[in-house]
Amino acid sequence: MKHAIPTATLGAHGQAMAGAVQACVHCGFCLPTCPTYQVMGEEMDSPRGRIVLMKNVLEGALPLEAALPHVDACLGCLACETACPSGVAYRDLISPFRALGEERRDRPLFEKMKRWFLLRLLPHPARFAIAARLGVMARPLRKMMPESVRVMLELLPERLPGVETPASESRATLKPRARVALLTGCVQSVIAPEINRATIEVLRRNGVEVVIPRDQGCCGALAWHIGAKDDAVKCARRNVAAFPDDVDAIVTNAAGCGSCLHEYPLILSGDESEGAAKAFARKVVDVAVFLDRIGFVPPQDSGRKMSVAMQDACHLLHGQKVQSAPRRLLQSVPGIELREIADAEICCGSAGTYNIDQPKIAAELGRRKTASIIASGAE
């Protein structure tokens, strides 16, 4: 027997992990929905297999090193939760286990440097904007660089937009119906600032006042999903303190961020901010759900017709169980014909830093998703 890691010694995280392990009846319903199992075809690279591996590590029957490659390969897409008839909260197991693993594993120096680099750059828009511009300049040389560096450069767009800072408060253009606070995000605010701009404009046109808390920061998803627990806790504490109480909702427009905000009670379990984290999480809602809830005011008919396919983000579909609201919004827009894509529930392969950490699996899943979208015939 290897040295056991009793979950009772891990506090609230340990209780959550034990609950997830005990709930699994090993039925296998998760296998067809797991993207890594579809690509790799190995039991140990399925949710059921990973749960068995993590259970054996916690009980001391298996060395941590034997489980880590399979746990590392997990996208954390949570499709297994949607498929599970037993209600296994896989999210309560995978991220705490990764945090546990990081405390005990010894990574090669280059891996340590890469993780440090990503954690010190991506969650900080100002730093990331500088690094991204340098990366765009270096793109022509990417074929001469190591794979992990080349992948990072290829993920960058050929051109970067200018950095935008939304106003701290935006008034509604209609009679005010609600007041919300918006999480502006990190990477998205640098790579695609037009998403925040459009979010604010649509909310305003629907009679919603928008507040942008200036002390907000990264949601913590990047850190939480790669086992950097301390960083995730700092992010959660900061946002819980930064967002005002006098708003009707805390709105997100990035699925991974929204899902992570919902996990703040788990991330801060046992922390002095746990109570505030629960109140915070209850107010978190995706922008599509919020607009659908208050009664979306669609735009005027432009006379243009277009067929549109919606690609469900995993942490919206599986993490937040949101499927109908964004479709209702799209279908209410005059001229839109909504088309579904095959295997819509399967991850596209882009999960946080997964493209960088597991580029071959990510590329294959991206290829499959792209083929499904093209096959839909949507414009």
Side-chain angles (χ1 to χ4, degrees):
M1 288 282 288
K2 302 294 180 182
H3 181 64
I5 309 172
T7 53
T9 66
L10 303 176
H13 285 177
Q15 295 174 22
M17 294 167 75
V21 168
Q22 291 167 6
C24 180
V25 298
H26 313 296
C27 65
F29 276 86
C30 58
L31 271 65
T33 68
C34 176
T36 52
Y37 181 74
Q38 285 201 2
V39 171
M40 303 168 78
E42 295 287 343
E43 172 72 18
M44 292 184 292
D45 292 304
S46 73
R48 180 175 67 180
R50 291 185 178 110
I51 289 173
V52 171
L53 290 173
M54 289 186 276
K55 176 179 182 289
N56 286 335
V57 170
L58 294 170
E59 292 177 348
L62 187 72
L64 175 67
E65 295 74 20
L68 286 176
H70 306 287
V71 173
D72 288 346
C74 176
L75 285 138
C77 69
L78 304 181
C80 52
E81 286 194 1
T82 301
C84 181
S86 301
V88 175
Y90 185 75
R91 72 186 77 191
D92 290 353
L93 178 60
I94 185 68
S95 293
F97 187 88
R98 282 174 167 166
L100 193 68
E102 286 306 313
E103 295 172 359
R104 290 164 169 77
R105 76 194 298 174
D106 185 23
R107 288 183 178 273
L109 179 60
F110 180 77
E111 285 293 312
K112 290 180 181 178
M113 291 174 62
K114 184 177 76 172
R115 284 171 61 85
W116 182 91
F117 178 79
L118 293 173
L119 286 167
R120 297 297 167 265
L121 274 185
L122 296 183
H124 304 277
R127 299 178 197 172
F128 177 61
I130 296 172
R133 296 194 182 284
L134 292 174
V136 170
M137 293 170 61
R139 275 176 65 95
L141 304 174
R142 61 187 181 277
K143 292 184 179 180
M144 302 166 56
M145 298 184 180
E147 183 181 40
S148 58
V149 177
R150 175 178 56 77
V151 169
M152 283 191 276
L153 295 179
E154 289 178 345
L155 288 171
L156 291 170
E158 294 184 3
R159 294 181 181 178
L160 288 171
V163 177
E164 297 182 14
T165 304
S168 59
E169 188 158 353
S170 299
R171 298 290 181 182
T173 58
L174 298 177
K175 181 180 178 181
R177 304 163 66 194
R179 186 168 182 265
V180 303
L182 176 67
L183 181 83
T184 53
C186 306
V187 173
Q188 178 177 279
S189 65
V190 175
I191 299 294
E194 69 275 9
I195 295 176
N196 283 335
R197 190 192 323 135
T199 299
I200 293 169
E201 183 62 17
V202 171
L203 286 168
R204 289 179 65 238
R205 291 190 184 193
N206 276 265
V208 181
E209 295 184 347
V210 184
V211 177
I212 310 290
R214 287 303 175 204
D215 291 333
Q216 68 173 292
C218 173
C219 67
L222 169 65
W224 183 234
H225 294 156
I226 64 172
K229 176 186 169 184
D230 291 344
D231 289 79
V233 167
K234 289 177 183 176
C235 290
R237 283 176 180 164
R238 176 177 177 174
N239 284 327
V240 167
F243 277 74
D245 296 324
D246 61 342
V247 291
D248 299 299
I250 296 169
V251 170
T252 63
N253 57 17
C257 296
S259 186
C260 185
L261 297 188
H262 281 292
E263 290 190 69
Y264 275 9
L266 174 63
I267 295 173
L268 293 176
S269 56
D271 189 86
E272 61 183 15
S273 303
E274 182 178 359
K278 291 178 179 178
F280 178 97
R282 283 194 292 269
K283 284 194 171 186
V284 174
V285 62
D286 184 79
V287 63
V289 175
F290 185 77
L291 288 167
D292 185 58
R293 182 185 298 167
I294 66 171
F296 179 58
V297 180
Q300 293 182 343
D301 190 350
S302 66
R304 184 183 180 189
K305 296 188 180 299
M306 177 181 287
S307 58
V308 173
M310 176 177 167
Q311 188 262 320
D312 290 282
C314 289
H315 279 88
L316 194 60
L317 179 62
H318 305 304
Q320 299 179 62
K321 310 303 180 190
V322 172
Q323 183 179 34
S324 300
R327 285 170 169 79
R328 279 195 292 269
L329 264 59
L330 285 171
Q331 288 171 328
S332 72
V333 176
I336 290 289
E337 176 203 346
L338 187 62
R339 296 186 182 180
E340 296 295 338
I341 64 175
D343 298 322
E345 75 283 0
I346 301 296
C347 184
C348 68
S350 290
T353 61
Y354 198 86
N355 301 73
I356 300 168
D357 297 328
Q358 306 283 344
K360 289 183 173 60
I361 302 174
E364 173 58 22
L365 289 170
R367 184 194 65 76
R368 296 183 183 190
K369 180 63 70 175
T370 303
S372 295
I373 292 171
I374 292 172
S376 75
E379 294 172 68

